[in-house]
Amino acid sequence: MFKVNENYQKLPGSYLFSTIAKKVNEYQDAHPDKELIRLGIGDVTQPLAPAVIDALHKAVDEMGQAETFRGYAPDLGYDFLRNAIAENDYKARGCSIGPNEIFVSDGAKSDSANIQEIFDVSDRVAVCDPVYPVYVDSNVMAGRTGTYDPDTGMWSDVIYMPCVKENGFVPDFPEQTPDLIYLCLPNNPTGTTLTKDQLQGWVDYANRVGAVILYDGAYEAYITEDNVPHTIYECDGAVTCAIEMKSFSKNAGFTGVRLGYTVVPKELKCGEVSLNAMWARRHGTKFNGAPYIVQRAGEAVYSDAGKAQIKDLVAYYMWNASAIRSGLTEAGFEIYGGVNAPYIWLATPDGMSSWEFFDYLLDTANVVGTPGSGFGPSGEGYFRLTAFGTHENTMAALERIKAL
Amino acid sequence: MFKVNENYQKLPGSYLFSTIAKKVNEYQDAHPDKELIRLGIGDVTQPLAPAVIDALHKAVDEMGQAETFRGYAPDLGYDFLRNAIAENDYKARGCSIGPNEIFVSDGAKSDSANIQEIFDVSDRVAVCDPVYPVYVDSNVMAGRTGTYDPDTGMWSDVIYMPCVKENGFVPDFPEQTPDLIYLCLPNNPTGTTLTKDQLQGWVDYANRVGAVILYDGAYEAYITEDNVPHTIYECDGAVTCAIEMKSFSKNAGFTGVRLGYTVVPKELKCGEVSLNAMWARRHGTKFNGAPYIVQRAGEAVYSDAGKAQIKDLVAYYMWNASAIRSGLTEAGFEIYGGVNAPYIWLATPDGMSSWEFFDYLLDTANVVGTPGSGFGPSGEGYFRLTAFGTHENTMAALERIKAL
């Protein structure tokens, strides 16, 4: 008789955003007259940039003609896109990452969930707390996390690095030595980030203890401050200890288009074993490339017109972030983030728990946010709002919150 | 110090089609004047159907307008597509598979590689031999296959079910009892298939021994004979023992568009554990949906115009299959398949090994095929040609082969 992967049964409840969606749907069904404003999930609302739309139409036309039709894409991505990424996201920043170190994928969520596969099950995982749930959940499924304690919300074999107001949301080096360190910077969910010096400290630490940093840079486009690095490869020595995952979802609004990439430097090795070769093998065996039309859309993001239009998109959302910051401050909330990231992290008022505040906001203001505790135990007492709504909805939500 | 997944190091050589691509590129570089004809990899050559192109353009336009823009897709796929699949691929065939048993993905390769994740590492895997390499390789990566014997080309813990001319390419029930049974029907690479009675025998066997059949139906659209089932759910009792994976790559030419789906029936359980719920959890955690525009393209495959156009595409490739069958027979080859599948499986002449014949065909006829031994030890002495070329190239390749 077959057996199932028992690790799945250890997962408490469902994926955070599925739980929220269910709660919201139930509320809406019970109150069909209420107009909800959703500032919860990190989904964008603005349409794709014209340069991207043009590229998509052109690629679709190519797929309709025998002469220009494209079948299977190269496993690791089309050269036109890998070259554009290498040139714009790395060479332009003085980082020597080549196209053959870049693996195009269907998005950073898949990559950040799958990357753990190339590591041993015995590797010890360290995560910031709070953290994007996919890092922990994918390791639970792989059997790397030990047992779950429902009282603390913690896994016995995960190393938690609290990021709270007391340490300025900057994780301390953990007491136990990790093998894999997930860092998402600018951070989801707190909207905070590290300076280049602080990140250099982590790179030096990883090289010293023999750990790999799994660096999620999905929100890089939102950085506004000069001393914040745009890629971990700006730090000396990162090519021997860091894998970087990037997304087109947040800068170019590709949440429904699906495109991302992962950088695995050739110099990143475990003894003689090249992690670049391992990830190439995984891609070749378990993935069949991102769609041609989507890769052309990605290329358009790096065109002159695309770059300008993407900048406008990011500025639009950061206009929201700024409005949320000032609105919440005015309403008396204690807030963080929103300067280098599209997320505002607020301390829940009056000692409310994160889920209590979620229900309170849903019930009284009809605004949907994300409870901090859903991102980890140290997220308890915090709450995340995103700047990805329309400006009108964002302002309306703020009015409702201010009126509470 | 971190450690890597040692199972990856057990994999001999690279993924079959990467190896072939490398060999072909080297030959082409050394002989730039030679015009190669590629009948190797199962990639299509005909452009997308007009109904699909129209749907793509329409969806792209929607993504360019704020009112119709779509962000994250529902984890498991849009209802419009899941409903179309349930209606056309199941209800129309008398199978009671509901939309909530259908999981939309970026393709059957990903699904067939990922599906093993929800099973225990101790589960014993049975595969047809020869077989699509992804089934074995994904299980190697998961540590389910034991050790590799380079002399036999076999893994110690994999149960091989030879499919050779001596048994009419119909696998026998194995001596050791498997937990997971991969069946690809119509078969890749042999192009042969099972009758409904034969498949019913496998469903009964799986239910009897407590095994799950992982059924890859990627080539279903090529079935021409009446007694061949179009889905495993035509067999009684399949909902308690079978997961079915389907692709839009071969029927609608989506190899570069990327769309597929997997059916996990609600009745498929391990004790109290629902495999449907487990796969939903995997999708929700490690995947973010197929692109909206691609799902609209998939929906168009089921429109009246789409259906007719897809039928034409399949007929075109089957015209090639028929020509390959008659051409090779005329040239004195012993051939199989090509009746319910776009693959022709030939016995290599003069006792040549599969790779010897690969080199011989590449060198003398400049035709690229796939060596049978690349699909497993029982593929030795066979060779695969695909009907997915253009008709002109297919006929030209046959002329060259006949002239040998």
Side-chain angles (χ1 to χ4, degrees):
Chain A
M1 177 73 191
F2 78 94
K3 292 201 287 290
V4 292
N5 179 346
E6 284 300 328
N7 297 312
Y8 273 62
Q9 314 319 317
K10 298 180 193 165
L11 286 163
S14 68
Y15 181 64
L16 172 63
F17 295 108
S18 312
T19 308
I20 292 173
K22 200 161 160 264
K23 261 182 173 273
V24 170
N25 289 339
E26 281 166 8
Y27 182 86
Q28 187 75 85
D29 287 346
H31 306 85
D33 55 314
K34 301 285 189 188
E35 263 198 52
L36 300 184
I37 300 180
R38 291 154 205 264
L39 302 180
I41 194 166
D43 199 0
V44 297
T45 51
Q46 296 306 294
L48 298 180
V52 170
I53 293 291
D54 289 347
L56 283 167
H57 277 307
K58 187 161 168 277
V60 169
D61 282 334
E62 289 181 60
M63 295 295 278
Q65 302 296 328
E67 303 70 36
T68 48
F69 174 78
R70 309 265 189 143
Y72 287 122
D75 284 348
L76 312 181
Y78 277 104
D79 284 342
F80 62 76
L81 180 55
R82 299 171 90 195
N83 289 335
I85 293 167
E87 184 67 31
N88 290 280
D89 289 350
Y90 296 101
K91 199 175 165 198
R93 299 193 190 286
C95 305
S96 62
I97 295 294
N100 56 6
E101 296 173 298
I102 294 164
F103 299 77
V104 175
S105 76
D106 68 328
K109 183 179 177 189
S110 309
D111 283 352
S112 63
N114 292 330
I115 194 71
Q116 47 77 28
E117 278 187 34
I118 64 170
F119 296 98
D120 196 79
V121 196
S122 70
D123 282 348
R124 284 297 296 275
V125 169
V127 293
C128 291
D129 172 23
V131 73
Y132 178 51
V134 168
Y135 311 148
V136 173
D137 288 0
S138 59
N139 278 291
V140 174
M141 291 170 166
R144 215 176 265 113
T145 57
T147 52
Y148 183 71
D149 182 343
D151 293 332
T152 62
M154 294 169 99
W155 295 88
S156 60
D157 293 355
V158 170
I159 300 168
Y160 292 87
M161 306 183 293
C163 294
V164 288
K165 56 186 173 185
E166 287 76 11
N167 62 7
F169 302 96
V170 177
D172 298 313
F173 300 134
E175 285 177 33
Q176 296 173 289
T177 303
D179 299 303
L180 306 175
I181 303 163
Y182 287 87
L183 292 179
C184 174
L185 296 167
N187 187 257
N188 172 16
T190 64
T192 59
T193 192
L194 266 59
T195 64
K196 190 174 165 188
D197 286 349
Q198 288 170 327
L199 186 59
Q200 182 67 56
W202 276 95
V203 168
D204 294 342
Y205 170 81
N207 274 321
R208 194 165 64 243
V209 303
V212 174
I213 296 176
L214 302 170
Y215 190 83
D216 184 343
Y219 300 93
E220 172 269 321
Y222 292 84
I223 294 170
T224 60
E225 294 182 315
D226 282 345
N227 62 345
V228 177
H230 286 259
T231 153
I232 195 168
Y233 303 113
E234 288 181 36
C235 296
D236 294 334
V239 289
T240 57
C241 73
I243 289 173
E244 179 164 292
M245 295 166 285
K246 291 287 290 287
S247 170
F248 289 78
S249 287
K250 312 296 172 161
N251 61 341
F254 276 29
T255 53
V257 178
R258 310 308 312 141
L259 191 67
Y261 68 84
T262 285
V263 176
V264 188
K266 294 259 185 186
E267 292 179 57
L268 180 52
K269 291 187 174 176
C270 179
E272 289 304 299
V273 178
S274 155
L275 273 66
N276 180 287
M278 287 184 76
W279 191 241
R281 186 68 198 238
R282 193 209 175 273
H283 255 257
T285 303
K286 296 189 168 189
F287 182 61
N288 232 334
Y292 171 69
I293 52 179
V294 169
Q295 294 196 50
R296 283 291 185 200
E299 183 190 28
V301 169
Y302 296 104
S303 67
D304 288 340
K307 282 180 193 170
Q309 292 161 4
I310 295 322
K311 204 169 271 185
D312 287 349
L313 270 179
V314 169
Y316 177 87
Y317 294 128
M318 287 309 274
W319 178 35
N320 289 344
S322 180
I324 298 174
R325 280 183 61 88
S326 56
L328 290 181
T329 304
E330 202 179 310
F333 286 93
E334 186 185 326
I335 57 150
Y336 306 93
V339 174
N340 295 299
Y343 294 123
I344 286 82
W345 191 241
L346 60 92
T348 56
D350 308 324
M352 272 191 225
S353 77
S354 298
W355 277 109
E356 280 167 359
F357 189 69
F358 173 90
D359 290 330
Y360 172 72
L361 214 60
L362 180 60
D363 281 345
T364 57
N366 301 142
V367 170
V368 181
T370 311
S373 58
F375 297 100
S378 295
E380 182 57 88
Y382 294 93
F383 196 79
R384 191 190 76 175
L385 289 177
T386 95
F388 286 126
T390 63
H391 193 67
E392 296 68 31
N393 276 344
T394 304
M395 297 312 288
L398 287 169
E399 287 312 310
R400 294 186 193 176
I401 292 171
K402 281 191 239 174
L404 287 178
Chain B
M1 175 74 192
F2 77 95
K3 292 201 288 288
V4 292
N5 179 345
E6 284 300 327
N7 297 312
Y8 273 61
Q9 315 318 318
K10 298 180 192 165
L11 285 163
S14 68
Y15 182 63
L16 173 62
F17 294 108
S18 311
T19 308
I20 291 172
K22 201 161 159 259
K23 259 182 173 275
V24 170
N25 289 340
E26 281 166 7
Y27 183 86
Q28 187 76 86
D29 287 347
H31 306 86
D33 55 314
K34 301 285 188 187
E35 263 198 52
L36 300 184
I37 300 179
R38 290 153 206 265
L39 303 179
I41 194 166
D43 198 0
V44 298
T45 50
Q46 296 305 296
L48 297 180
V52 169
I53 293 291
D54 289 348
L56 282 167
H57 277 306
K58 186 160 169 280
V60 169
D61 282 334
E62 289 181 62
M63 295 295 279
Q65 302 295 328
E67 302 71 35
T68 49
F69 173 80
R70 309 265 190 143
Y72 288 122
D75 284 348
L76 311 182
Y78 278 103
D79 284 343
F80 62 75
L81 180 56
R82 298 170 91 195
N83 289 335
I85 293 167
E87 183 68 32
N88 290 279
D89 290 348
Y90 296 102
K91 198 175 166 200
R93 298 190 191 288
C95 305
S96 62
I97 296 293
N100 55 5
E101 297 172 298
I102 293 164
F103 298 77
V104 175
S105 76
D106 69 328
K109 183 179 176 188
S110 309
D111 283 352
S112 64
N114 293 330
I115 194 72
Q116 48 76 31
E117 278 186 35
I118 64 170
F119 296 98
D120 196 79
V121 196
S122 70
D123 282 348
R124 285 296 297 274
V125 169
V127 293
C128 291
D129 173 23
V131 74
Y132 178 50
V134 167
Y135 310 149
V136 173
D137 288 359
S138 59
N139 278 290
V140 173
M141 291 170 167
R144 214 175 265 112
T145 57
T147 53
Y148 183 71
D149 182 342
D151 293 332
T152 62
M154 294 168 99
W155 294 88
S156 60
D157 292 356
V158 171
I159 300 168
Y160 291 88
M161 306 183 293
C163 295
V164 288
K165 56 187 173 185
E166 287 75 13
N167 63 6
F169 301 96
V170 177
D172 299 314
F173 300 134
E175 284 176 31
Q176 295 172 289
T177 304
D179 299 303
L180 306 175
I181 303 164
Y182 287 87
L183 291 179
C184 175
L185 297 167
N187 187 257
N188 172 17
T190 64
T192 59
T193 192
L194 266 59
T195 64
K196 189 173 166 188
D197 286 349
Q198 288 170 330
L199 186 61
Q200 183 66 57
W202 275 95
V203 168
D204 294 341
Y205 170 81
N207 275 321
R208 195 165 64 243
V209 303
V212 174
I213 296 176
L214 303 169
Y215 191 82
D216 184 342
Y219 299 94
E220 173 269 321
Y222 292 85
I223 293 170
T224 61
E225 294 181 316
D226 283 344
N227 62 346
V228 177
H230 285 259
T231 152
I232 195 168
Y233 303 112
E234 289 181 35
C235 297
D236 292 335
V239 289
T240 57
C241 72
I243 288 173
E244 180 164 291
M245 295 166 283
K246 291 288 290 285
S247 170
F248 288 78
S249 287
K250 313 296 172 162
N251 60 341
F254 277 29
T255 54
V257 179
R258 310 308 313 141
L259 191 68
Y261 67 83
T262 285
V263 176
V264 188
K266 295 257 185 189
E267 292 178 58
L268 180 53
K269 290 188 173 176
C270 177
E272 289 305 299
V273 178
S274 156
L275 273 66
N276 181 287
M278 287 184 75
W279 192 241
R281 185 69 197 238
R282 193 209 176 271
H283 256 257
T285 303
K286 296 190 168 188
F287 181 62
N288 232 334
Y292 171 68
I293 52 180
V294 169
Q295 294 196 50
R296 282 293 184 199
E299 182 191 29
V301 169
Y302 296 105
S303 66
D304 288 341
K307 281 181 193 170
Q309 292 161 4
I310 295 323
K311 203 169 269 183
D312 287 349
L313 269 180
V314 170
Y316 176 87
Y317 293 129
M318 286 309 274
W319 179 35
N320 290 344
S322 181
I324 298 174
R325 281 183 60 89
S326 55
L328 290 181
T329 304
E330 203 181 308
F333 285 93
E334 188 184 326
I335 57 149
Y336 306 94
V339 174
N340 295 298
Y343 293 123
I344 285 84
W345 191 240
L346 61 91
T348 56
D350 308 325
M352 272 190 227
S353 76
S354 297
W355 277 108
E356 280 168 358
F357 189 70
F358 174 89
D359 289 331
Y360 172 72
L361 214 60
L362 181 59
D363 280 345
T364 57
N366 301 142
V367 170
V368 181
T370 312
S373 58
F375 297 101
S378 293
E380 182 57 87
Y382 293 93
F383 197 79
R384 191 189 77 174
L385 290 177
T386 94
F388 285 127
T390 64
H391 193 66
E392 297 67 32
N393 276 345
T394 304
M395 298 312 287
L398 287 169
E399 288 312 309
R400 293 186 194 176
I401 292 171
K402 283 192 237 173
L404 288 177

